[in-house]
Amino acid sequence: MAKQEKAADVIDNEGAHKGDQMHAAPGTFVLTLILLLSFAVYYFANWKALADVWQVR
Amino acid sequence: MTTMDPTVEDALPETAVEPKGNHAPGMARVCATTGLTVDLTAEKFIKLHAVFAVVFLLLGGIAALLIAMTRWSAVHLLPADWYYRLTTFHGLNMLILWILFMEVAILYFAATALLKTRLASAGLAWAGFVLMAVGAVTLDTMILMGTSDVMMTSYAPLRAHPLFYLSIIFVAVGTLIGVINFFATVYIAKRDKTYSGSVPLVVFGAITAAIIAVVTLGHGAGIMIPTFLWSIEVLPSPDPAVYRLVWWGLGHQSQQVNVAAMVSVWYLLGAITVGAKVLNQGVSRTAFLLYILFINLASAHHLLVDPGVSAGWKIWNTSYAMYLAVLASMIHGYTVPAAVEVALRKQGHDKGLFGWLGAAPWRNPGFSGFFLSLVVFGFLGGITGVTLGTEQINIIAHNTLRIPGHFHTTVVGGTTTAFMALAYYVVPLIFRREFPMRAICRAQPYVFTLGVVILAVGMSFAGSYGVARRHWDVEFTGATHAASFDPSVHIFLGMVGIGGIIAFVGLLMFVIPTVIAVFFGKKIEGKMPAW
């Protein structure tokens, strides 16, 4: 198990950190998809509510 | 959860490490827990601003409880005049005073501790702080005396006491001086080469917040100075439409300063609590740049039913421009938890999709507060914000209780929770005092967030049925035309009251241990105790 670094070391060395090519965050990716799905449901429910009260004839 | 804790096992006594940077001898120390260099002059001003911030948070919180007890129609606690007075008081204490005092503290911390430099000017810091403090105390006094029941927005031609406007100008100028001191400190660090390469991302975010703050305070001066002159009858009344346009350049953009500062706090707390590293500097910095370029324009969504501005102007600002600012928040909303996930997986918590999440240090209020802030801001604040900011949809939500339902998830569930989480490190690291009642501290982010979510959901649903924001009496007693709502509205307004009580308990669970820690807490020598 890797040991946690001090905050000062993390911040001082962040320029040298090239983690972008090796990061894998599948859990966050799934959370992001849940967020987008929630947004889509809420957004279109509001368009439906608008259509119900402001009908175009 | 000791392996997750930032209290590293090999921490050295503070005297054993020489401070780095450009400090005069004896004017800096190295934090044994984080390894950050703390400038002793800046430390004094961080303490002053943080203490005042918490005082205004408590005052605004007391007002919030009384307002929630009034909007709860079964209780309906306050008479009308005190309801509007305390709504004015609550808005200004929570959205302006608590936030601005805390943000100046964050700016001083970010510039000095992360760039290993001295504060540019103690004189400027004193001047800014005194102006802010005098302005804030005068402002609250004028409101409570009943001379300025004009709500936070103080829309002309409503007229408050001249000292009301003058005190806001004092707070704004004091904050601007703090921001100038921050920029001067960043300049000194660059000149003295106290860091190499680009500034750290957290400082970059703080610079973003400071740039937006300058624009915001410019709008504040642009509208508050003529309004003050009108209040002393030197100038005629400001045009109400122009007032609203310029005022929202202050009112909304001040919340964008919060967003930039809050995101910076997320990155900082990610690094401190689990050693999270920024996944991609370019992506995160570009997202901050999008805030600077586009987030200010999003304030136009306050004017979506105003007749004085064109449909094209509204659509451009609240669609294209606002979406680019939302894109920035979505980028941070991915990169911050992803950095936490990568850090925890590297520490061995890589079981399944969410093993890292289960193994996260949830008993550490610095972590739980930061992560709950992120979730509430993104899921509740973000989703409702984009929807309500859509020009067509806004027409069914404008000036209803849905709007406060949205911004209580961003400003309270998001920013305030993040700043509280930061305090769980500021007090031990800057004040060097130990938190008492640690079980209460551990539970605090959960209780506070639960209360805010119940409050905001209640507001949103009541608003969906047409309940107006800001109004004292949902029944419109005595009105010429009776207003009737679906009976379920009263259940949702009950949720507002119950959520308000729970959130207030969560607030006290933060304020009481913090005040005890700051003034009577056990002195910390060396490393801070594990959360």
Side-chain angles (χ1 to χ4, degrees), chain B residues 232-267:
Chain B
I232 56 173
E233 300 186 351
V234 171
L235 286 182
S237 171
D239 181 280
V242 172
Y243 179 95
R244 284 170 57 81
L245 177 70
V246 183
W247 190 90
W248 279 113
L250 164 71
H252 193 84
Q253 284 167 211
S254 57
Q255 308 320 308
Q256 312 311 340
V257 182
N258 299 343
V259 171
M262 174 190 69
V263 172
S264 304
V265 168
W266 287 349
Y267 281 111

PDB file of all heavy atoms in Angstrom, chain B residues 232-267:
ATOM      1  N   ILE B 232     -28.585  60.296  -0.301  1.00  0.00           N
ATOM      2  CA  ILE B 232     -28.365  61.578   0.392  1.00  0.00           C
ATOM      3  C   ILE B 232     -28.825  62.756  -0.480  1.00  0.00           C
ATOM      4  O   ILE B 232     -28.451  63.910  -0.262  1.00  0.00           O
ATOM      5  CB  ILE B 232     -26.884  61.762   0.820  1.00  0.00           C
ATOM      6  CG1 ILE B 232     -25.928  61.634  -0.373  1.00  0.00           C
ATOM      7  CG2 ILE B 232     -26.511  60.782   1.919  1.00  0.00           C
ATOM      8  CD1 ILE B 232     -24.481  61.974  -0.039  1.00  0.00           C
ATOM      9  N   GLU B 233     -29.586  62.422  -1.518  1.00  0.00           N
ATOM     10  CA  GLU B 233     -30.271  63.386  -2.368  1.00  0.00           C
ATOM     11  C   GLU B 233     -29.326  64.310  -3.127  1.00  0.00           C
ATOM     12  O   GLU B 233     -29.593  65.492  -3.319  1.00  0.00           O
ATOM     13  CB  GLU B 233     -31.301  64.178  -1.553  1.00  0.00           C
ATOM     14  CG  GLU B 233     -32.340  63.231  -0.944  1.00  0.00           C
ATOM     15  CD  GLU B 233     -33.483  63.936  -0.250  1.00  0.00           C
ATOM     16  OE1 GLU B 233     -33.396  65.150  -0.089  1.00  0.00           O
ATOM     17  OE2 GLU B 233     -34.457  63.245   0.115  1.00  0.00           O
ATOM     18  N   VAL B 234     -28.205  63.725  -3.554  1.00  0.00           N
ATOM     19  CA  VAL B 234     -27.281  64.460  -4.419  1.00  0.00           C
ATOM     20  C   VAL B 234     -27.585  64.137  -5.887  1.00  0.00           C
ATOM     21  O   VAL B 234     -27.505  65.012  -6.751  1.00  0.00           O
ATOM     22  CB  VAL B 234     -25.813  64.092  -4.081  1.00  0.00           C
ATOM     23  CG1 VAL B 234     -24.839  64.673  -5.098  1.00  0.00           C
ATOM     24  CG2 VAL B 234     -25.466  64.569  -2.679  1.00  0.00           C
ATOM     25  N   LEU B 235     -27.946  62.888  -6.160  1.00  0.00           N
ATOM     26  CA  LEU B 235     -28.274  62.457  -7.521  1.00  0.00           C
ATOM     27  C   LEU B 235     -29.744  62.033  -7.575  1.00  0.00           C
ATOM     28  O   LEU B 235     -30.327  61.688  -6.544  1.00  0.00           O
ATOM     29  CB  LEU B 235     -27.397  61.262  -7.926  1.00  0.00           C
ATOM     30  CG  LEU B 235     -25.929  61.517  -8.249  1.00  0.00           C
ATOM     31  CD1 LEU B 235     -25.263  60.211  -8.673  1.00  0.00           C
ATOM     32  CD2 LEU B 235     -25.760  62.562  -9.342  1.00  0.00           C
ATOM     33  N   PRO B 236     -30.354  62.036  -8.791  1.00  0.00           N
ATOM     34  CA  PRO B 236     -31.718  61.490  -8.914  1.00  0.00           C
ATOM     35  C   PRO B 236     -31.696  59.964  -8.773  1.00  0.00           C
ATOM     36  O   PRO B 236     -30.635  59.342  -8.819  1.00  0.00           O
ATOM     37  CB  PRO B 236     -32.143  61.911 -10.322  1.00  0.00           C
ATOM     38  CG  PRO B 236     -30.862  62.115 -11.059  1.00  0.00           C
ATOM     39  CD  PRO B 236     -29.855  62.578 -10.053  1.00  0.00           C
ATOM     40  N   SER B 237     -32.891  59.384  -8.636  1.00  0.00           N
ATOM     41  CA  SER B 237     -33.002  57.931  -8.459  1.00  0.00           C
ATOM     42  C   SER B 237     -32.406  57.188  -9.650  1.00  0.00           C
ATOM     43  O   SER B 237     -32.647  57.573 -10.798  1.00  0.00           O
ATOM     44  CB  SER B 237     -34.473  57.564  -8.310  1.00  0.00           C
ATOM     45  OG  SER B 237     -34.613  56.169  -8.336  1.00  0.00           O
ATOM     46  N   PRO B 238     -31.655  56.127  -9.387  1.00  0.00           N
ATOM     47  CA  PRO B 238     -31.133  55.337 -10.514  1.00  0.00           C
ATOM     48  C   PRO B 238     -32.287  54.713 -11.290  1.00  0.00           C
ATOM     49  O   PRO B 238     -33.320  54.395 -10.707  1.00  0.00           O
ATOM     50  CB  PRO B 238     -30.303  54.240  -9.836  1.00  0.00           C
ATOM     51  CG  PRO B 238     -30.143  54.651  -8.415  1.00  0.00           C
ATOM     52  CD  PRO B 238     -31.268  55.579  -8.092  1.00  0.00           C
ATOM     53  N   ASP B 239     -32.091  54.528 -12.603  1.00  0.00           N
ATOM     54  CA  ASP B 239     -33.097  53.836 -13.410  1.00  0.00           C
ATOM     55  C   ASP B 239     -33.207  52.401 -12.889  1.00  0.00           C
ATOM     56  O   ASP B 239     -32.194  51.697 -12.774  1.00  0.00           O
ATOM     57  CB  ASP B 239     -32.636  53.835 -14.870  1.00  0.00           C
ATOM     58  CG  ASP B 239     -33.645  53.146 -15.764  1.00  0.00           C
ATOM     59  OD1 ASP B 239     -33.645  51.888 -15.799  1.00  0.00           O
ATOM     60  OD2 ASP B 239     -34.428  53.853 -16.388  1.00  0.00           O
ATOM     61  N   PRO B 240     -34.430  51.937 -12.548  1.00  0.00           N
ATOM     62  CA  PRO B 240     -34.558  50.593 -11.960  1.00  0.00           C
ATOM     63  C   PRO B 240     -33.984  49.483 -12.841  1.00  0.00           C
ATOM     64  O   PRO B 240     -33.386  48.533 -12.334  1.00  0.00           O
ATOM     65  CB  PRO B 240     -36.073  50.438 -11.788  1.00  0.00           C
ATOM     66  CG  PRO B 240     -36.590  51.825 -11.672  1.00  0.00           C
ATOM     67  CD  PRO B 240     -35.715  52.654 -12.563  1.00  0.00           C
ATOM     68  N   ALA B 241     -34.163  49.593 -14.173  1.00  0.00           N
ATOM     69  CA  ALA B 241     -33.662  48.538 -15.062  1.00  0.00           C
ATOM     70  C   ALA B 241     -32.128  48.538 -15.087  1.00  0.00           C
ATOM     71  O   ALA B 241     -31.491  47.481 -15.068  1.00  0.00           O
ATOM     72  CB  ALA B 241     -34.224  48.734 -16.462  1.00  0.00           C
ATOM     73  N   VAL B 242     -31.557  49.746 -15.139  1.00  0.00           N
ATOM     74  CA  VAL B 242     -30.093  49.842 -15.134  1.00  0.00           C
ATOM     75  C   VAL B 242     -29.561  49.356 -13.796  1.00  0.00           C
ATOM     76  O   VAL B 242     -28.546  48.641 -13.725  1.00  0.00           O
ATOM     77  CB  VAL B 242     -29.648  51.301 -15.408  1.00  0.00           C
ATOM     78  CG1 VAL B 242     -28.139  51.448 -15.210  1.00  0.00           C
ATOM     79  CG2 VAL B 242     -30.052  51.721 -16.804  1.00  0.00           C
ATOM     80  N   TYR B 243     -30.267  49.716 -12.718  1.00  0.00           N
ATOM     81  CA  TYR B 243     -29.845  49.274 -11.385  1.00  0.00           C
ATOM     82  C   TYR B 243     -29.753  47.748 -11.346  1.00  0.00           C
ATOM     83  O   TYR B 243     -28.765  47.168 -10.892  1.00  0.00           O
ATOM     84  CB  TYR B 243     -30.825  49.782 -10.317  1.00  0.00           C
ATOM     85  CG  TYR B 243     -30.443  49.340  -8.922  1.00  0.00           C
ATOM     86  CD1 TYR B 243     -29.695  50.167  -8.082  1.00  0.00           C
ATOM     87  CD2 TYR B 243     -30.793  48.071  -8.445  1.00  0.00           C
ATOM     88  CE1 TYR B 243     -29.315  49.755  -6.819  1.00  0.00           C
ATOM     89  CE2 TYR B 243     -30.418  47.642  -7.187  1.00  0.00           C
ATOM     90  CZ  TYR B 243     -29.684  48.490  -6.372  1.00  0.00           C
ATOM     91  OH  TYR B 243     -29.302  48.064  -5.126  1.00  0.00           O
ATOM     92  N   ARG B 244     -30.811  47.080 -11.839  1.00  0.00           N
ATOM     93  CA  ARG B 244     -30.834  45.618 -11.790  1.00  0.00           C
ATOM     94  C   ARG B 244     -29.697  45.022 -12.623  1.00  0.00           C
ATOM     95  O   ARG B 244     -29.032  44.069 -12.196  1.00  0.00           O
ATOM     96  CB  ARG B 244     -32.182  45.102 -12.313  1.00  0.00           C
ATOM     97  CG  ARG B 244     -33.326  45.272 -11.333  1.00  0.00           C
ATOM     98  CD  ARG B 244     -34.672  44.982 -11.987  1.00  0.00           C
ATOM     99  NE  ARG B 244     -34.747  43.650 -12.560  1.00  0.00           N
ATOM    100  CZ  ARG B 244     -35.004  42.535 -11.856  1.00  0.00           C
ATOM    101  NH1 ARG B 244     -35.210  42.614 -10.564  1.00  0.00           N
ATOM    102  NH2 ARG B 244     -35.049  41.356 -12.443  1.00  0.00           N
ATOM    103  N   LEU B 245     -29.485  45.595 -13.801  1.00  0.00           N
ATOM    104  CA  LEU B 245     -28.438  45.081 -14.687  1.00  0.00           C
ATOM    105  C   LEU B 245     -27.069  45.157 -14.005  1.00  0.00           C
ATOM    106  O   LEU B 245     -26.313  44.182 -13.969  1.00  0.00           O
ATOM    107  CB  LEU B 245     -28.426  45.884 -15.988  1.00  0.00           C
ATOM    108  CG  LEU B 245     -27.338  45.512 -16.998  1.00  0.00           C
ATOM    109  CD1 LEU B 245     -27.612  44.155 -17.606  1.00  0.00           C
ATOM    110  CD2 LEU B 245     -27.246  46.559 -18.108  1.00  0.00           C
ATOM    111  N   VAL B 246     -26.759  46.329 -13.452  1.00  0.00           N
ATOM    112  CA  VAL B 246     -25.423  46.506 -12.868  1.00  0.00           C
ATOM    113  C   VAL B 246     -25.338  45.806 -11.503  1.00  0.00           C
ATOM    114  O   VAL B 246     -24.314  45.207 -11.171  1.00  0.00           O
ATOM    115  CB  VAL B 246     -25.075  48.012 -12.740  1.00  0.00           C
ATOM    116  CG1 VAL B 246     -23.654  48.185 -12.208  1.00  0.00           C
ATOM    117  CG2 VAL B 246     -25.216  48.711 -14.079  1.00  0.00           C
ATOM    118  N   TRP B 247     -26.435  45.864 -10.724  1.00  0.00           N
ATOM    119  CA  TRP B 247     -26.384  45.253  -9.395  1.00  0.00           C
ATOM    120  C   TRP B 247     -26.087  43.764  -9.485  1.00  0.00           C
ATOM    121  O   TRP B 247     -25.335  43.210  -8.690  1.00  0.00           O
ATOM    122  CB  TRP B 247     -27.697  45.467  -8.620  1.00  0.00           C
ATOM    123  CG  TRP B 247     -27.515  45.054  -7.184  1.00  0.00           C
ATOM    124  CD1 TRP B 247     -27.111  45.841  -6.151  1.00  0.00           C
ATOM    125  CD2 TRP B 247     -27.672  43.731  -6.639  1.00  0.00           C
ATOM    126  NE1 TRP B 247     -27.001  45.094  -4.990  1.00  0.00           N
ATOM    127  CE2 TRP B 247     -27.346  43.796  -5.266  1.00  0.00           C
ATOM    128  CE3 TRP B 247     -28.049  42.505  -7.173  1.00  0.00           C
ATOM    129  CZ2 TRP B 247     -27.376  42.692  -4.420  1.00  0.00           C
ATOM    130  CZ3 TRP B 247     -28.072  41.388  -6.335  1.00  0.00           C
ATOM    131  CH2 TRP B 247     -27.747  41.493  -4.973  1.00  0.00           C
ATOM    132  N   TRP B 248     -26.687  43.099 -10.501  1.00  0.00           N
ATOM    133  CA  TRP B 248     -26.437  41.656 -10.613  1.00  0.00           C
ATOM    134  C   TRP B 248     -25.000  41.356 -11.036  1.00  0.00           C
ATOM    135  O   TRP B 248     -24.511  40.237 -10.865  1.00  0.00           O
ATOM    136  CB  TRP B 248     -27.475  40.989 -11.522  1.00  0.00           C
ATOM    137  CG  TRP B 248     -28.731  40.727 -10.741  1.00  0.00           C
ATOM    138  CD1 TRP B 248     -29.947  41.316 -10.913  1.00  0.00           C
ATOM    139  CD2 TRP B 248     -28.877  39.854  -9.612  1.00  0.00           C
ATOM    140  NE1 TRP B 248     -30.845  40.869  -9.971  1.00  0.00           N
ATOM    141  CE2 TRP B 248     -30.209  39.963  -9.155  1.00  0.00           C
ATOM    142  CE3 TRP B 248     -28.022  38.994  -8.929  1.00  0.00           C
ATOM    143  CZ2 TRP B 248     -30.699  39.249  -8.070  1.00  0.00           C
ATOM    144  CZ3 TRP B 248     -28.511  38.281  -7.838  1.00  0.00           C
ATOM    145  CH2 TRP B 248     -29.825  38.410  -7.429  1.00  0.00           C
ATOM    146  N   GLY B 249     -24.347  42.369 -11.600  1.00  0.00           N
ATOM    147  CA  GLY B 249     -22.900  42.224 -11.821  1.00  0.00           C
ATOM    148  C   GLY B 249     -22.155  42.105 -10.505  1.00  0.00           C
ATOM    149  O   GLY B 249     -21.064  41.536 -10.436  1.00  0.00           O
ATOM    150  N   LEU B 250     -22.731  42.649  -9.455  1.00  0.00           N
ATOM    151  CA  LEU B 250     -22.191  42.470  -8.094  1.00  0.00           C
ATOM    152  C   LEU B 250     -22.798  41.224  -7.446  1.00  0.00           C
ATOM    153  O   LEU B 250     -22.082  40.348  -6.959  1.00  0.00           O
ATOM    154  CB  LEU B 250     -22.515  43.706  -7.234  1.00  0.00           C
ATOM    155  CG  LEU B 250     -22.378  43.554  -5.715  1.00  0.00           C
ATOM    156  CD1 LEU B 250     -20.917  43.443  -5.324  1.00  0.00           C
ATOM    157  CD2 LEU B 250     -23.023  44.741  -4.989  1.00  0.00           C
ATOM    158  N   GLY B 251     -24.135  41.140  -7.473  1.00  0.00           N
ATOM    159  CA  GLY B 251     -24.834  40.110  -6.695  1.00  0.00           C
ATOM    160  C   GLY B 251     -24.559  38.702  -7.174  1.00  0.00           C
ATOM    161  O   GLY B 251     -24.325  37.808  -6.370  1.00  0.00           O
ATOM    162  N   HIS B 252     -24.566  38.496  -8.481  1.00  0.00           N
ATOM    163  CA  HIS B 252     -24.314  37.141  -8.955  1.00  0.00           C
ATOM    164  C   HIS B 252     -22.831  36.840  -9.042  1.00  0.00           C
ATOM    165  O   HIS B 252     -22.379  35.762  -8.671  1.00  0.00           O
ATOM    166  CB  HIS B 252     -24.972  36.888 -10.308  1.00  0.00           C
ATOM    167  CG  HIS B 252     -24.987  35.426 -10.635  1.00  0.00           C
ATOM    168  ND1 HIS B 252     -25.961  34.576 -10.185  1.00  0.00           N
ATOM    169  CD2 HIS B 252     -24.108  34.632 -11.302  1.00  0.00           C
ATOM    170  CE1 HIS B 252     -25.691  33.341 -10.561  1.00  0.00           C
ATOM    171  NE2 HIS B 252     -24.574  33.355 -11.241  1.00  0.00           N
ATOM    172  N   GLN B 253     -22.065  37.820  -9.512  1.00  0.00           N
ATOM    173  CA  GLN B 253     -20.633  37.546  -9.695  1.00  0.00           C
ATOM    174  C   GLN B 253     -19.937  37.298  -8.374  1.00  0.00           C
ATOM    175  O   GLN B 253     -18.939  36.581  -8.327  1.00  0.00           O
ATOM    176  CB  GLN B 253     -19.986  38.685 -10.473  1.00  0.00           C
ATOM    177  CG  GLN B 253     -20.344  38.585 -11.936  1.00  0.00           C
ATOM    178  CD  GLN B 253     -20.017  39.815 -12.731  1.00  0.00           C
ATOM    179  OE1 GLN B 253     -20.711  40.096 -13.683  1.00  0.00           O
ATOM    180  NE2 GLN B 253     -19.001  40.544 -12.350  1.00  0.00           N
ATOM    181  N   SER B 254     -20.454  37.901  -7.297  1.00  0.00           N
ATOM    182  CA  SER B 254     -19.825  37.607  -5.998  1.00  0.00           C
ATOM    183  C   SER B 254     -19.963  36.112  -5.699  1.00  0.00           C
ATOM    184  O   SER B 254     -19.103  35.520  -5.047  1.00  0.00           O
ATOM    185  CB  SER B 254     -20.465  38.455  -4.899  1.00  0.00           C
ATOM    186  OG  SER B 254     -21.853  38.233  -4.837  1.00  0.00           O
ATOM    187  N   GLN B 255     -21.031  35.489  -6.229  1.00  0.00           N
ATOM    188  CA  GLN B 255     -21.168  34.043  -6.021  1.00  0.00           C
ATOM    189  C   GLN B 255     -20.238  33.259  -6.954  1.00  0.00           C
ATOM    190  O   GLN B 255     -19.901  32.111  -6.680  1.00  0.00           O
ATOM    191  CB  GLN B 255     -22.625  33.617  -6.230  1.00  0.00           C
ATOM    192  CG  GLN B 255     -23.639  34.431  -5.432  1.00  0.00           C
ATOM    193  CD  GLN B 255     -23.167  34.760  -4.019  1.00  0.00           C
ATOM    194  OE1 GLN B 255     -22.766  33.870  -3.274  1.00  0.00           O
ATOM    195  NE2 GLN B 255     -23.184  36.037  -3.652  1.00  0.00           N
ATOM    196  N   GLN B 256     -19.815  33.888  -8.047  1.00  0.00           N
ATOM    197  CA  GLN B 256     -18.838  33.216  -8.917  1.00  0.00           C
ATOM    198  C   GLN B 256     -17.450  33.260  -8.311  1.00  0.00           C
ATOM    199  O   GLN B 256     -16.627  32.379  -8.545  1.00  0.00           O
ATOM    200  CB  GLN B 256     -18.827  33.831 -10.317  1.00  0.00           C
ATOM    201  CG  GLN B 256     -20.195  34.030 -10.938  1.00  0.00           C
ATOM    202  CD  GLN B 256     -21.066  32.789 -10.842  1.00  0.00           C
ATOM    203  OE1 GLN B 256     -20.583  31.680 -10.649  1.00  0.00           O
ATOM    204  NE2 GLN B 256     -22.363  32.966 -10.963  1.00  0.00           N
ATOM    205  N   VAL B 257     -17.188  34.317  -7.521  1.00  0.00           N
ATOM    206  CA  VAL B 257     -15.943  34.331  -6.741  1.00  0.00           C
ATOM    207  C   VAL B 257     -15.956  33.115  -5.817  1.00  0.00           C
ATOM    208  O   VAL B 257     -14.961  32.395  -5.666  1.00  0.00           O
ATOM    209  CB  VAL B 257     -15.819  35.628  -5.915  1.00  0.00           C
ATOM    210  CG1 VAL B 257     -14.507  35.660  -5.147  1.00  0.00           C
ATOM    211  CG2 VAL B 257     -15.925  36.851  -6.809  1.00  0.00           C
ATOM    212  N   ASN B 258     -17.132  32.866  -5.217  1.00  0.00           N
ATOM    213  CA  ASN B 258     -17.275  31.701  -4.335  1.00  0.00           C
ATOM    214  C   ASN B 258     -16.963  30.413  -5.069  1.00  0.00           C
ATOM    215  O   ASN B 258     -16.299  29.530  -4.537  1.00  0.00           O
ATOM    216  CB  ASN B 258     -18.717  31.548  -3.836  1.00  0.00           C
ATOM    217  CG  ASN B 258     -19.171  32.724  -3.045  1.00  0.00           C
ATOM    218  OD1 ASN B 258     -18.356  33.507  -2.609  1.00  0.00           O
ATOM    219  ND2 ASN B 258     -20.469  32.846  -2.869  1.00  0.00           N
ATOM    220  N   VAL B 259     -17.513  30.297  -6.282  1.00  0.00           N
ATOM    221  CA  VAL B 259     -17.337  29.048  -7.023  1.00  0.00           C
ATOM    222  C   VAL B 259     -15.853  28.794  -7.281  1.00  0.00           C
ATOM    223  O   VAL B 259     -15.351  27.691  -7.039  1.00  0.00           O
ATOM    224  CB  VAL B 259     -18.123  29.088  -8.359  1.00  0.00           C
ATOM    225  CG1 VAL B 259     -17.774  27.885  -9.227  1.00  0.00           C
ATOM    226  CG2 VAL B 259     -19.623  29.117  -8.089  1.00  0.00           C
ATOM    227  N   ALA B 260     -15.147  29.824  -7.756  1.00  0.00           N
ATOM    228  CA  ALA B 260     -13.720  29.650  -8.043  1.00  0.00           C
ATOM    229  C   ALA B 260     -12.958  29.322  -6.760  1.00  0.00           C
ATOM    230  O   ALA B 260     -12.076  28.443  -6.746  1.00  0.00           O
ATOM    231  CB  ALA B 260     -13.161  30.908  -8.701  1.00  0.00           C
ATOM    232  N   ALA B 261     -13.299  30.015  -5.664  1.00  0.00           N
ATOM    233  CA  ALA B 261     -12.618  29.740  -4.391  1.00  0.00           C
ATOM    234  C   ALA B 261     -12.966  28.342  -3.889  1.00  0.00           C
ATOM    235  O   ALA B 261     -12.094  27.613  -3.384  1.00  0.00           O
ATOM    236  CB  ALA B 261     -13.020  30.796  -3.351  1.00  0.00           C
ATOM    237  N   MET B 262     -14.235  27.963  -4.042  1.00  0.00           N
ATOM    238  CA  MET B 262     -14.662  26.637  -3.579  1.00  0.00           C
ATOM    239  C   MET B 262     -13.935  25.525  -4.343  1.00  0.00           C
ATOM    240  O   MET B 262     -13.465  24.557  -3.735  1.00  0.00           O
ATOM    241  CB  MET B 262     -16.173  26.494  -3.771  1.00  0.00           C
ATOM    242  CG  MET B 262     -16.734  25.122  -3.474  1.00  0.00           C
ATOM    243  SD  MET B 262     -18.454  24.989  -4.012  1.00  0.00           S
ATOM    244  CE  MET B 262     -18.258  25.025  -5.796  1.00  0.00           C
ATOM    245  N   VAL B 263     -13.820  25.679  -5.660  1.00  0.00           N
ATOM    246  CA  VAL B 263     -13.132  24.652  -6.454  1.00  0.00           C
ATOM    247  C   VAL B 263     -11.661  24.582  -6.040  1.00  0.00           C
ATOM    248  O   VAL B 263     -11.084  23.485  -5.921  1.00  0.00           O
ATOM    249  CB  VAL B 263     -13.293  24.946  -7.968  1.00  0.00           C
ATOM    250  CG1 VAL B 263     -12.426  24.001  -8.782  1.00  0.00           C
ATOM    251  CG2 VAL B 263     -14.747  24.822  -8.386  1.00  0.00           C
ATOM    252  N   SER B 264     -11.065  25.740  -5.765  1.00  0.00           N
ATOM    253  CA  SER B 264      -9.672  25.738  -5.284  1.00  0.00           C
ATOM    254  C   SER B 264      -9.570  24.975  -3.969  1.00  0.00           C
ATOM    255  O   SER B 264      -8.617  24.218  -3.748  1.00  0.00           O
ATOM    256  CB  SER B 264      -9.172  27.179  -5.075  1.00  0.00           C
ATOM    257  OG  SER B 264      -9.308  27.908  -6.255  1.00  0.00           O
ATOM    258  N   VAL B 265     -10.555  25.184  -3.089  1.00  0.00           N
ATOM    259  CA  VAL B 265     -10.571  24.477  -1.794  1.00  0.00           C
ATOM    260  C   VAL B 265     -10.722  22.969  -2.025  1.00  0.00           C
ATOM    261  O   VAL B 265     -10.088  22.169  -1.340  1.00  0.00           O
ATOM    262  CB  VAL B 265     -11.700  25.034  -0.893  1.00  0.00           C
ATOM    263  CG1 VAL B 265     -11.940  24.142   0.310  1.00  0.00           C
ATOM    264  CG2 VAL B 265     -11.360  26.447  -0.442  1.00  0.00           C
ATOM    265  N   TRP B 266     -11.531  22.589  -3.017  1.00  0.00           N
ATOM    266  CA  TRP B 266     -11.667  21.149  -3.330  1.00  0.00           C
ATOM    267  C   TRP B 266     -10.295  20.554  -3.680  1.00  0.00           C
ATOM    268  O   TRP B 266      -9.930  19.504  -3.171  1.00  0.00           O
ATOM    269  CB  TRP B 266     -12.589  20.936  -4.526  1.00  0.00           C
ATOM    270  CG  TRP B 266     -14.053  21.161  -4.288  1.00  0.00           C
ATOM    271  CD1 TRP B 266     -14.696  21.339  -3.093  1.00  0.00           C
ATOM    272  CD2 TRP B 266     -15.070  21.237  -5.305  1.00  0.00           C
ATOM    273  NE1 TRP B 266     -16.037  21.515  -3.304  1.00  0.00           N
ATOM    274  CE2 TRP B 266     -16.306  21.456  -4.647  1.00  0.00           C
ATOM    275  CE3 TRP B 266     -15.059  21.131  -6.692  1.00  0.00           C
ATOM    276  CZ2 TRP B 266     -17.509  21.575  -5.336  1.00  0.00           C
ATOM    277  CZ3 TRP B 266     -16.258  21.257  -7.380  1.00  0.00           C
ATOM    278  CH2 TRP B 266     -17.467  21.467  -6.707  1.00  0.00           C
ATOM    279  N   TYR B 267      -9.580  21.241  -4.582  1.00  0.00           N
ATOM    280  CA  TYR B 267      -8.265  20.715  -4.982  1.00  0.00           C
ATOM    281  C   TYR B 267      -7.323  20.656  -3.770  1.00  0.00           C
ATOM    282  O   TYR B 267      -6.572  19.693  -3.598  1.00  0.00           O
ATOM    283  CB  TYR B 267      -7.644  21.592  -6.084  1.00  0.00           C
ATOM    284  CG  TYR B 267      -8.205  21.345  -7.470  1.00  0.00           C
ATOM    285  CD1 TYR B 267      -8.989  22.289  -8.114  1.00  0.00           C
ATOM    286  CD2 TYR B 267      -7.935  20.156  -8.154  1.00  0.00           C
ATOM    287  CE1 TYR B 267      -9.501  22.064  -9.390  1.00  0.00           C
ATOM    288  CE2 TYR B 267      -8.443  19.921  -9.433  1.00  0.00           C
ATOM    289  CZ  TYR B 267      -9.224  20.880 -10.047  1.00  0.00           C
ATOM    290  OH  TYR B 267      -9.727  20.650 -11.308  1.00  0.00           O
TER     291      TYR B 267
END
